[in-house]
Amino acid sequence: MSQDVQISQELLIQRVLFSPIGSAPGELYREVKAGWVDSTRTSVTLKPQTELSTSTYFGRVPAAYLQRWTTVRTLVVELTVQGQGTIEIVGDDVTGAPRILERRAVTSEQEEQIRITVTIDKFLDGGHIWLDAFTASHELTVADVRFLATSERETRKTSIVICTFNRPTDCLATIATLADDPTALDLLDHIYVVDQGNDKVEAQDGYAAVAESLGDKLVMVHQRNLGGAGGFTRGLFEITGAAEGAHTNVLFMDDDIRLEPETVVRMIAFEQHAITPTIIGGQMLYLYHPTHLHTQAETADLGRLRAGLPADETAHNVDLTKKLPHAR
């Protein structure tokens, strides 16, 4: 008789990114409190006399949600540094008051990978974890920042379902964004695009290159327009019938969004560590005013057939570069 063997592994919880995709403002990713920086998507170079914080919308780790809803109790912060400066891992609580969890002085002429361990144990009512960096008389480069957690669970792939109706350009841009992010793409089993329109995604310029990049991960499904319910249900039908006995997570996604693929990484990580199987709702920013929150999450009133209700109406249209929530 065989016995399942649990193997501990470090899984990615989230990355810290320093520049956006497209036209979203960098202030959603990092805040330069003093001095100036040069940044790419995954790295930032602090000039002398500079202070930088990732206590931002995309920069923070939701420690309270990890403590309350997942098995994560410690995080390993892995990053590559070069130069001279100070790295701090900072946390706050339901009041928003910061406290230093760990501090590390950096003096390295060559690239050096460092790992810092922090405990998730004082965030039950609220709070986040983030990274701050400081320089004095020298430059400091910080790159490839990742928060990791140890898991003994079997990892599961996720399949995405996109329902589209005559928004082929937007839909193609969404799947192209996934194709351009190897970290997010590696977590995906398939991307099902249920095309219910007569202006087909496959007819767009650039589709062939995206399809080649995604390979057999991309599955195009065509049917008449059955609305969002019919489109997403068709995608779910395709997933459940793909392989008998296979278990996968399902992520439903709109066709006309400007996707931040890091959102996919974080939602999958949260589900992977959730104490019980969980339906996870994503947030949405305004497309033309991306510093403002459109919906924080939505709830369903099962007694009435109507669109989802915002979970927290007071968060609607908040400028996330000026006000960030702290309470869970």
Side-chain angles (χ1 to χ4, degrees):
M1 179 179 293
S2 63
Q3 184 175 0
D4 293 336
V5 178
Q6 291 183 326
I7 301 175
S8 294
Q9 54 186 331
E10 281 189 340
L11 299 179
L12 177 64
I13 295 295
Q14 71 179 60
R15 300 170 290 182
V16 175
L17 303 170
F18 299 102
S19 292
I21 294 175
S23 59
E27 288 78 10
L28 289 174
Y29 294 79
R30 78 289 187 278
E31 178 186 5
V32 182
K33 295 184 174 181
W36 68 100
V37 302
D38 292 328
S39 62
T40 68
R41 178 82 165 150
T42 58
S43 70
V44 62
T45 297
L46 288 72
K47 304 301 182 180
Q49 303 296 325
T50 294
E51 177 181 349
L52 176 137
S53 177
T54 63
S55 179
T56 60
Y57 179 73
F58 281 116
R60 308 184 303 171
V61 177
Y65 287 86
L66 293 177
Q67 182 174 343
R68 173 61 181 86
W69 299 108
T70 77
T71 59
V72 175
R73 292 298 173 264
T74 60
L75 288 174
V76 174
V77 191
E78 183 179 87
L79 62 153
T80 301
V81 295
Q82 183 176 3
Q84 293 187 27
T86 301
I87 299 293
E88 291 179 351
I89 307 301
V90 186
D92 64 4
D93 54 25
V94 69
T95 69
R99 67 183 187 276
I100 297 173
L101 305 179
E102 294 288 341
R103 177 183 285 135
R104 186 74 57 89
V106 176
T107 303
S108 178
E109 294 183 0
Q110 306 295 326
E111 286 189 354
E112 175 188 1
Q113 187 181 81
I114 62 176
R115 289 164 59 91
I116 304 171
T117 301
V118 293
T119 303
I120 308 291
D121 61 352
K122 296 180 178 65
F123 300 92
L124 193 58
D125 294 327
H128 298 75
I129 292 174
W130 65 87
L131 178 144
D132 286 348
F134 310 87
T135 58
S137 57
H138 295 78
E139 290 188 357
L140 174 66
T141 297
V142 179
D144 301 324
V145 183
R146 308 196 308 161
F147 285 84
L148 309 168
T150 299
S151 175
E152 294 183 348
R153 295 182 178 181
E154 180 184 358
T155 58
R156 293 186 296 177
K157 294 281 188 178
T158 293
S159 287
I160 288 176
V161 176
I162 302 173
C163 171
T164 187
F165 176 75
N166 289 347
R167 289 193 175 111
T169 303
D170 293 334
C171 185
L172 180 60
T174 299
I175 61 176
T177 300
L178 289 167
D180 289 339
D181 193 312
T183 299
L185 193 60
D186 187 56
L187 300 171
L188 301 180
D189 189 9
H190 291 96
I191 302 168
Y192 291 89
V193 177
V194 182
D195 194 337
Q196 302 183 132
N198 48 38
D199 189 0
K200 298 298 184 183
V201 176
E202 290 164 285
Q204 305 307 304
D205 292 340
Y207 171 81
V210 173
E212 182 179 4
S213 177
L214 291 172
D216 59 6
K217 286 182 181 288
L218 178 61
V219 180
M220 299 296 299
V221 180
H222 299 278
Q223 65 179 25
R224 64 187 179 90
N225 184 21
L226 299 177
F232 287 120
T233 300
R234 175 63 185 274
L236 189 60
F237 173 81
E238 296 291 334
I239 291 170
T240 55
E244 185 177 353
H247 297 281
T248 186
N249 305 319
V250 182
L251 174 57
F252 297 112
M253 185 180 297
D254 288 343
D255 58 348
D256 59 345
I257 59 174
R258 183 175 298 153
L259 176 66
E260 168 53 79
E262 178 63 14
T263 305
V264 175
V265 173
R266 297 180 187 186
M267 292 181 74
I268 292 173
F270 192 92
E271 195 285 330
Q272 175 67 28
H273 293 275
I275 296 171
T276 59
T278 302
I279 298 175
I280 303 169
Q283 294 186 335
M284 187 178 295
L285 308 179
Y286 280 101
L287 183 63
Y288 297 118
H289 305 284
T291 63
H292 288 249
L293 185 63
H294 178 43
T295 55
Q296 181 172 355
E298 291 182 333
T299 60
D301 183 351
L302 299 181
R304 302 174 63 188
L305 292 177
R306 58 172 296 182
L309 304 172
D312 182 1
E313 293 185 355
T314 63
H316 174 71
N317 206 28
V318 168
D319 186 340
L320 296 167
T321 63
K322 298 178 179 179
K323 180 181 178 181
L324 290 170
H326 301 287
R328 175 172 58 78

